[in-house]
Amino acid sequence: MTKLSVGKQLFWGTLLLFLAFAIMFIVFQQQREKQFKIDVLNLHLQDYNYRLYDKAHGLKTDEKIIDRFIQTNPIQHIRVTMIDADGNVFYDNCRKDYENFSNHLNRKEVREAIKSGTGFDIRRESNTLGGMFFYTATFFPKDNIVIRTALPYDNNLVHSLQADQHYIWFALLTMTFLSIMLYRFIRRLDINITKLNIFAQRADHGESLETEDLAQFPDDELGEISESIIKIYKRLQKTKEEQNELKRQLTQNVAHELKTPVASIQGYLETIIDNKDMDGSKREQFLERCYAQSKRLTNLLRDISTLNRLDDATEMFEFEKVDINSIISQIEKETALEMERRHMTIKMSIPENIVVTGSPGMIYSIFRNLTDNAIAYAGNGTTITISAHKDNDGPWHFTYADNGVGVDHQHIARLFERFYRVDKGRSRKIGGTGLGLAIVKNAVILHGGSISATNITTGGLRFDFTLGS
């Protein structure tokens, strides 16, 4: 058995509710209009009774006066009966032997009239004339009489009391119009839901979304939302694919970077093992090279671990107040020997007591990696300049520059990529991991800042970055 779609279920459910409402409305309106016509007829006959009473005042009024009133105020087939408070009939225009009539006190309309002033009975068979009649009675307490008028409940009266059928046609036309509008709306909704269902199934099974049945949605808000959902999913898929590609490339790069020091260490150790009579100085030289490669391997693993934490575990970093001046002074002391060997100097142009909120280790990594990068690539005899300023309550703006050789323009955009090297041979020779500037960028982002690199026109490389206050 084919299962109805959500849109069709909604359409038929709503249509049935419309139909139920329409039927209840028609039945209610028919009863209401019929009751209204009954009330109008009753009021009309009540008015007739009052006018007759005004004309034929008194309990024993001359019958000729009553007959004359009935003749001069004709209502076709009307029957007029006058009854005293004890239920005895003392006049009836349809039969003159009313003295033989039974007591009318038990008649519904008469009983109600004596009790509340007026009464009527919609359809009751007459015991004296036979046939069905519509009765209306009015009680006049001044003379203790009841004037009752009646009309035969024939086809003419039935027709006059029927509800007008025009509103039924109006209700049916309205229902038809609403059903068409409902169908058009729900059809659009059903198309969107069906397409989204196809999209969900294809996405769940990893199938292609570039199909004709997902090409065009209805031109409405639901269609726009559906298209947006698919576009967002496609972007996420594309981003995921790009991330997977980056991870694949990163894995390859890591494997390649690890392979070099491991192979070197293995080669030196195999040489030492295979040459047990190796000269002591030669053995010492090989062991020193093994140690250098192991240090390079340790630094590489450390930097990879740092980047992984910056990518996937930022919540592990605890933020506190960090004194920037103290960190730069510490780095100056740690690199003093290397700076002196290369005849390099650091020029400070920052205010005293710069304090930011952040991770001490990561802020240290920012300035240490920039310094190591300048020492490695700026060139001998160069000057490193560090400056900082702050705009009101905004973040601190830092500039880290050197007047060295700089880099070619085509390398600028890729300086912060992982394992990207401007001079691969020289970088590996001096022990660089290719991750220093990537760590700098991610550490700056961790602190809500941004960083950029530019060549200085007079020579050298400049880094501009911000750190939160």
Side-chain angles (χ1 to χ4, degrees), residues 89-305:
V89 178
F90 63 89
Y91 174 82
D92 191 284
N93 69 322
C94 292
R95 288 182 58 175
K96 297 303 179 182
D97 58 341
Y98 47 78
E99 294 88 352
N100 299 324
F101 287 3
S102 61
N103 191 284
H104 279 43
L105 199 61
N106 65 334
R107 304 293 197 270
K108 178 177 178 290
E109 69 280 0
V110 175
R111 189 169 63 251
E112 289 180 356
I114 294 174
K115 182 179 179 181
S116 59
T118 61
F120 70 94
D121 198 356
I122 297 175
R123 186 179 182 186
R124 194 185 74 243
E125 186 175 1
S126 172
N127 294 331
T128 56
L129 298 180
M132 307 299 291
F133 282 82
F134 180 94
Y135 294 97
T136 297
T138 310
F139 178 60
F140 299 94
K142 184 177 180 180
D143 295 313
N144 282 328
I145 64 171
V146 175
I147 298 178
R148 187 186 72 176
T149 51
L151 291 174
Y153 208 89
D154 54 15
N155 290 335
N156 291 332
L157 183 61
V158 170
H159 181 73
S160 66
L161 293 180
Q162 280 183 345
D164 188 1
Q165 303 300 310
H166 289 91
Y167 77 89
I168 296 178
W169 292 109
F170 173 77
L172 291 176
L173 287 174
T174 303
M175 274 295 303
T176 303
F177 174 75
L178 290 177
S179 297
I180 294 173
M181 296 300 295
L182 176 67
Y183 174 76
R184 292 190 57 171
F185 170 76
I186 292 183
R187 183 172 178 273
R188 287 172 172 264
L189 177 64
D190 191 41
I191 292 173
N192 286 318
I193 293 175
T194 301
K195 286 180 176 287
L196 283 176
N197 185 38
I198 294 172
F199 156 72
Q201 291 180 359
R202 289 183 178 277
D204 185 48
H205 292 87
E207 299 176 1
S208 173
L209 302 179
E210 303 299 332
T211 57
E212 190 173 331
D213 48 9
L214 294 177
Q216 186 66 39
F217 283 83
D219 187 18
D220 55 20
E221 290 185 0
L222 291 173
E224 291 177 1
I225 293 172
S226 300
E227 286 184 345
S228 297
I229 291 173
I230 293 181
K231 286 179 180 177
I232 291 171
Y233 177 81
K234 287 181 177 178
R235 283 199 297 268
L236 289 175
Q237 286 294 98
K238 185 177 179 181
T239 301
K240 185 177 179 180
E241 290 173 2
E242 291 175 350
Q243 288 177 342
N244 289 337
E245 178 63 20
L246 287 174
K247 287 182 179 179
R248 186 184 64 80
Q249 292 178 359
L250 180 61
T251 301
Q252 291 178 346
N253 288 334
V254 169
H256 180 73
E257 293 294 332
L258 290 175
K259 181 180 179 181
T260 301
V262 169
S264 296
I265 293 171
Q266 184 178 354
Y268 289 133
L269 291 178
E270 286 178 353
T271 302
I272 293 173
I273 293 172
D274 293 339
N275 297 275
K276 299 185 182 298
D277 298 329
M278 182 182 293
D279 181 68
S281 60
K282 194 72 171 178
R283 182 189 299 271
E284 184 73 19
Q285 182 183 3
F286 279 14
L287 289 174
E288 287 178 356
R289 290 177 181 178
C290 283
Y291 177 69
Q293 291 297 327
S294 69
K295 283 182 63 178
R296 179 185 171 192
L297 187 60
T298 301
N299 292 337
L300 181 60
L301 294 174
R302 180 200 63 205
D303 288 349
I304 292 173
S305 175

Side-chain angles (χ1 to χ4, degrees), residues 329-340:
S329 297
Q330 179 183 348
I331 293 172
E332 278 190 284
K333 293 177 182 177
E334 292 172 351
T335 59
L337 291 176
E338 187 67 20
M339 297 278 286
E340 183 178 354

Side-chain angles (χ1 to χ4, degrees), residues 324-325 328 332 345-352 354 356 366-367 370-371 383-391 395-402 450-452 454 456 461-467:
I324 299 296
N325 303 74
I328 295 176
E332 278 190 284
T345 57
I346 293 181
K347 182 180 178 182
M348 302 285 290
S349 180
I350 62 174
E352 295 182 359
I354 297 179
V356 300
I366 293 171
F367 289 95
L370 289 175
T371 303
T383 300
I384 298 172
T385 303
I386 305 175
S387 60
H389 70 276
K390 185 178 183 181
D391 298 328
W396 281 99
H397 294 262
F398 292 90
T399 299
Y400 197 105
D402 64 68
S450 60
I451 187 169
S452 62
T454 54
I456 302 173
L461 189 62
R462 168 176 167 171
F463 294 92
D464 294 285
F465 60 96
T466 57
L467 292 175

